[in-house]
């Protein structure tokens, strides 16, 4: 299947020209360091395309702190630009073409948005992919006051419900929404999706009982799960967490369910299009240094993540493979 590419869109070229003109007037074009290597000359901005407190926000802030740790003197500020299931942030990020002082903590929304909506001015081949750092398992969780203490109890009751099950999702078409609709549909359960801009908005809705379930990664709801407020019912893919409240909780892989887009959500870092190769290498080297630190290992352990590193073109090739699955599912 041919994957569409929007690299050549006129807007990218127009933005790049505008940035070049700005550089001539003392704008964002970066001078090389004295030793010939590229160095940032101002603060780096991490654009998080979802709300504060969600998985992307937590990852983005961890990366920002990590870069500051391994590159002393460099400052990384975090800016949340939520809306449109991530497309608002990504569209703003596209406008920064050519400026190496912007980053985004990326995940499968990089693929699902443009795969579903051909009118977007970017796709998964538009940006500069730096590195994938971790794989993040999504879990269906319930409020502990629901009375559902296990996947089996939930299925038994939900099948007999006269009302659809409301499920909080961070996007309408990502690796939270598609497998959830497929999985619960196979169980004969009617689903009513409720879309929020990230876990930071979804968690209060589940706490208050406004929705029945939410789909989240372990780190996003770690505090609520540890406090006994939320109960994990099932995870996606093969990866399990054999400790704490997640011990013994099944996944679609352990139960041999066949579900669309049933894989972990990658988490990585990307830069705008058209940045200098030297800047790309600077970032990749910094990320490689961070994944060797104790702070990275602590972040991974606390968030229930699986370390999976892919750099540069290897990361791009992996994303292209996943995109084929998304396009095929949406075509059906």
């Amino acid at each position: 299947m041919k994957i569409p590419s929007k690299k050549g869109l006129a807007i990218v070229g127009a933005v790049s020209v505008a940035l070049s003109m700005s550089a001539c007037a003392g704008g964002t074009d970066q001078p090389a360091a004295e030793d010939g290597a590229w160095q940032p000359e101002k603060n780096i901005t991490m654009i998080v395309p979802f709300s504060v407190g969600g998985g992307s926000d937590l990852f983005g802030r961890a990366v920002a702190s990590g870069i500051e740790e391994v590159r002393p003197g460099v400052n990384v500020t975090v800016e949340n630009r939520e809306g449109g299931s991530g497309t608002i942030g990504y569209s703003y990020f596209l406008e920064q073409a050519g400026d190496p002082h912007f980053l985004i903590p990326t995940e499968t929304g990089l693929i699902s948005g443009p795969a579903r909506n051909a009118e977007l001015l970017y796709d998964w081949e538009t940006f500069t992919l730096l590195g994938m750092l971790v794989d993040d398992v999504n879990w269906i969780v319930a409020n502990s006051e629901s009375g559902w203490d296990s996947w089996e109890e939930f299925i038994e009751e939900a099948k007999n419900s006269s009302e659809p099950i409301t499920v909080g999702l961070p996007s309408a078409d990502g690796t939270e929404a598609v497998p959830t609709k497929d999985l619960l549909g196979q169980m004969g359960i009617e689903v009513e999706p409720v879309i929020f801009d990230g876990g930071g908005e979804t968690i209060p809705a589940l706490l208050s009982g406004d929705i029945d379930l939410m789909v989240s990664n372990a780190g996003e709801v770690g505090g609520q799960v540890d406090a006994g407020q939320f109960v994990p019912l099932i995870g996606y893919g093969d990866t399990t967490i054999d400790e704490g409240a997640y011990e013994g909780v099944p996944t679609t892989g352990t139960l041999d369910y066949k579900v669309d887009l049933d894989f972990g959500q990658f988490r990585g870092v990307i830069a705008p299009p058209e940045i200098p190769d030297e800047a790309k290498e600077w970032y990749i080297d910094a990320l490689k240094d961070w994944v060797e630190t104790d702070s990275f290992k602590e972040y991974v352990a606390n968030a229930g993540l699986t370390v999976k590193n892919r750099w540069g073109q290897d990361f791009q090739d992996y994303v292209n493979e996943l995109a084929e699955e998304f396009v095929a599912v949406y075509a059906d």
Side-chain angles (χ1 to χ4, degrees):
M1 176 179 297
K2 185 177 184 296
I3 302 297
S5 174
K6 300 170 187 172
K7 280 183 174 179
L9 285 170
I11 187 170
V12 177
V15 172
S16 298
V17 170
L19 285 166
S20 298
M21 293 174 65
S22 174
C24 292
T28 59
D29 201 24
Q30 307 307 311
E34 291 183 4
D35 61 359
W38 181 87
Q39 294 283 344
E41 70 168 10
K42 61 181 182 179
N43 287 354
I44 297 165
T45 302
M46 178 75 72
I47 301 296
V48 177
F50 296 100
S51 61
V52 174
S56 290
D57 182 66
L58 295 174
F59 177 70
R61 292 177 189 277
V63 172
S65 296
I67 291 175
E68 291 180 338
E69 176 186 354
V70 299
R71 295 294 182 269
V74 172
N75 296 314
V76 185
T77 61
V78 178
E79 182 179 322
N80 294 80
R81 287 182 174 263
E82 67 268 26
S85 297
T87 60
I88 298 298
Y90 277 104
S91 296
Y92 172 78
F93 193 62
L94 176 61
E95 296 175 5
Q96 314 312 314
D99 189 343
H101 292 87
F102 287 86
L103 299 173
I104 262 192
T106 194
E107 32 66 56
T108 48
L110 172 67
I111 304 172
S112 62
R116 184 75 175 267
N117 183 1
E119 295 182 358
L120 290 175
L121 296 177
Y122 66 87
D123 68 11
W124 47 91
E125 293 187 305
T126 301
F127 303 105
T128 304
L129 273 63
L130 302 172
M132 171 181 169
L133 279 65
V134 295
D135 212 4
D136 203 351
V137 177
N138 286 320
W139 300 82
I140 296 179
V141 299
N143 190 312
S144 59
E145 296 182 358
S146 67
W148 301 323
D149 294 325
S150 69
W151 175 243
E152 291 77 12
E153 289 182 8
F154 163 72
I155 291 298
E156 183 177 355
E157 184 171 334
K159 281 183 175 180
N160 298 316
S161 175
S162 59
E163 300 291 334
I165 298 297
T166 54
V167 184
L169 300 163
S171 68
D173 48 23
T175 51
E176 301 90 357
V178 173
T180 300
K181 294 173 187 176
D182 189 13
L183 175 63
L184 297 186
Q186 291 181 33
M187 303 293 111
I189 298 170
E190 184 179 356
V191 177
E192 180 181 332
V194 183
I195 309 304
F196 297 88
D197 276 316
E201 296 182 2
T202 318
I203 289 171
L206 185 59
L207 282 170
S208 64
D210 291 339
I211 54 177
D212 297 315
L213 304 171
M214 72 175 286
V215 182
S216 168
N217 56 78
E220 203 168 38
V221 294
Q224 291 75 23
V225 170
D226 290 342
Q229 296 172 304
F230 290 173
V231 178
L233 301 178
I234 191 171
Y236 289 116
D238 297 319
T239 303
T240 58
I241 300 177
D242 297 322
E243 59 182 34
Y246 290 87
E247 184 174 0
V249 179
T251 66
T252 51
T254 61
L255 296 179
D256 292 326
Y257 291 137
K258 305 301 180 186
V259 182
D260 285 338
L261 303 187
D262 185 17
F263 44 75
Q265 177 171 247
F266 68 80
R267 293 200 181 277
V269 185
I270 64 176
E274 309 296 332
I275 70 167
D277 290 340
E278 295 83 359
K280 176 180 178 180
E281 293 307 315
W282 186 92
Y283 281 117
I284 292 176
D285 288 343
L287 293 172
K288 286 181 176 179
D289 286 345
W290 182 50
V291 300
E292 298 298 327
T293 65
D294 290 339
S295 64
F296 174 76
K297 295 170 185 175
E298 182 178 355
Y299 163 69
V300 167
N302 291 339
L305 304 170
T306 301
V307 177
K308 288 190 179 178
N309 297 157
R310 294 180 172 90
W311 308 111
Q313 189 59 48
D314 185 36
F315 183 24
Q316 182 69 72
D317 292 342
Y318 175 71
V319 167
N320 290 347
E321 290 176 10
L322 292 185
E324 291 184 358
E325 295 187 45
F326 274 85
V327 171
V329 167
Y330 293 149
D332 291 338

